[in-house]
Amino acid sequence: MLGKIHLLEGDLDKAIEIYKKAVEFSPENTELLTTLGLLYLQLGIYQKAFEHLGNALTYDPTNYKAILAAGSMMQTHGDFDVALTKYRVVACAVPESPPLWNNIGMCFFGKKKYVAAISCLKRANYLAPFDWKILYNLGLVHLTMQQYASAFHFLSAAINFQPKTGELYMLLAVALTNLEDTENARRAYAEAVRLDKGNPLVNLNYAVLLYNQGEERGALAQYREMEKKVNLLKDSSSLEFDPEMVEMAQKLGAALQVGEALVWTKPVKDPKSKQRTTSTSKAASFQQPLGSNQALGQAMSSAAAHRKLPSGAGGTSQLTKPPSLPLEPEPTVEAQPTEASAQITEK
């Protein structure tokens, strides 16, 4: 109970200390082991999370919370088929679990089976109509399929429930850009920039829109902001950036004649977290002037998102987890992405 009180106060570190002591006294208590594993998962400490969840499954192989959490970890690391195998077990125990169908949907999304993804996500949305991470994921999948009106519908619904997440406004702006409503797209980007202080993709997409509207001065200002965020991220973490994002930044930098001091001098490998999920929006927002109006087809795998989004989306001041990530927060413990927590998690 003391651990739950710390969770309600938002103090994860103290809650973890309490649960660790509890596990010492009751090493076979699967509920305590699962809760501790979910907390580590929410903090991104995957090794310890896997260890405690594995112990819980050793004592109770049918513990659906632990199976769902373990599946979300596999999903986050791209093992979609293995994760789906785990989710089949959970589906027998809790067939009407919104986080379960959210995660299954994002597994299909990672496998590029978009129709199946939408079907599963709509079932999750039916079971939990007020969960913004599921709405986020639906918007993301529709963006990927270039169904911009549907994406707008789900993203605006998500914003109504979660009005202070900048990334939602960015994806909404991408949809509006493709619906040729540039005035409202600019408003959405302005709000995204105001709310999101750590994701360079927001500034990059906004800069592309401004450049395509002929406002080079505004585009240059956003490009400079993006460079600052990228440098901060490079200094503070080992996060790798999406190659597509790097390529577009280089093209825009050349178009704006920024000079030789570009942030990136060579492409880098795929990113490992939410950066990936949001990158899907990027392609859509680039229009013909920059020659990149291709489908968001390279939408990442575990969307939303786990810098979150979600239940998962547990975001830090920097990047958030894809809401697409796994697990949604449980009633007593906030597990990440719905996406454990995603994508948002998921994640």
Side-chain angles (χ1 to χ4, degrees), residues 50-305:
F50 202 79
E51 178 185 331
H52 286 88
L53 293 171
N55 289 339
L57 289 171
T58 300
Y59 296 119
D60 180 10
T62 61
N63 186 322
Y64 76 88
K65 287 185 183 178
I67 296 173
L68 190 58
S72 77
M73 290 177 62
M74 296 166 186
Q75 178 177 347
T76 305
H77 291 90
D79 297 328
F80 303 116
D81 292 318
V82 181
L84 284 170
T85 303
K86 296 286 184 188
Y87 294 148
R88 282 194 191 99
V89 178
V90 181
C92 297
V94 282
E96 296 190 352
S97 163
L100 169 66
W101 289 105
N102 175 75
N103 290 2
I104 291 174
M106 296 319 292
C107 273
F108 284 126
F109 181 54
K111 289 162 67 72
K112 294 185 168 46
K113 296 182 178 179
Y114 302 127
V115 176
I118 287 176
S119 177
C120 293
L121 288 169
K122 285 197 172 175
R123 179 165 183 174
N125 180 237
Y126 172 78
L127 295 168
F130 302 124
D131 189 322
W132 69 273
K133 290 175 291 296
I134 295 170
L135 293 166
Y136 173 107
N137 289 339
L138 274 165
L140 188 64
V141 178
H142 281 295
L143 269 182
T144 305
M145 296 182 72
Q146 296 180 298
Q147 297 173 347
Y148 303 114
S150 295
F152 173 83
H153 168 77
F154 289 113
L155 291 169
S156 21
I159 286 172
N160 286 330
F161 295 123
Q162 190 76 8
K164 295 189 178 176
T165 299
E167 199 170 308
L168 285 169
Y169 286 95
M170 180 187 74
L171 294 182
L172 184 70
V174 171
L176 287 166
T177 302
N178 285 279
L179 291 170
E180 299 182 1
D181 185 355
T182 52
E183 182 181 348
N184 285 316
R186 291 179 61 162
R187 289 177 184 169
Y189 274 129
E191 187 67 9
V193 168
R194 186 182 72 82
L195 293 170
D196 194 317
K197 303 299 182 185
N199 189 345
L201 197 52
V202 174
N203 302 95
L204 178 59
N205 280 341
Y206 193 12
V208 170
L209 175 68
L210 291 173
Y211 177 80
N212 289 340
Q213 294 297 308
E215 298 183 27
E216 293 194 10
R217 182 172 296 182
L220 184 58
Q222 291 302 320
Y223 189 87
R224 295 295 187 197
E225 277 300 310
M226 179 208 68
E227 285 185 319
K228 290 178 187 175
K229 290 180 180 179
V230 167
N231 288 327
L232 281 174
L233 288 173
K234 281 183 172 179
D235 294 339
S236 61
S237 72
S238 59
L239 181 69
E240 296 175 342
F241 295 95
D242 190 328
E244 193 180 353
M245 174 182 171
V246 175
E247 181 187 355
M248 182 50 62
Q250 289 172 332
K251 286 182 181 177
L252 183 61
L256 292 171
Q257 298 178 337
V258 176
E260 295 182 3
L262 293 175
V263 182
W264 289 290
T265 52
K266 58 182 181 180
V268 219
K269 296 181 182 176
D270 275 304
K272 293 197 172 145
S273 69
K274 160 138 211 161
Q275 187 89 29
R276 218 171 159 175
T277 301
T278 42
S279 74
T280 61
S281 70
K282 157 182 76 264
S285 69
F286 306 145
Q287 301 179 330
Q288 272 112 347
L290 278 175
S292 170
N293 194 5
Q294 49 214 34
L296 294 178
Q298 310 196 345
M300 22 41 65
S301 49
S302 37

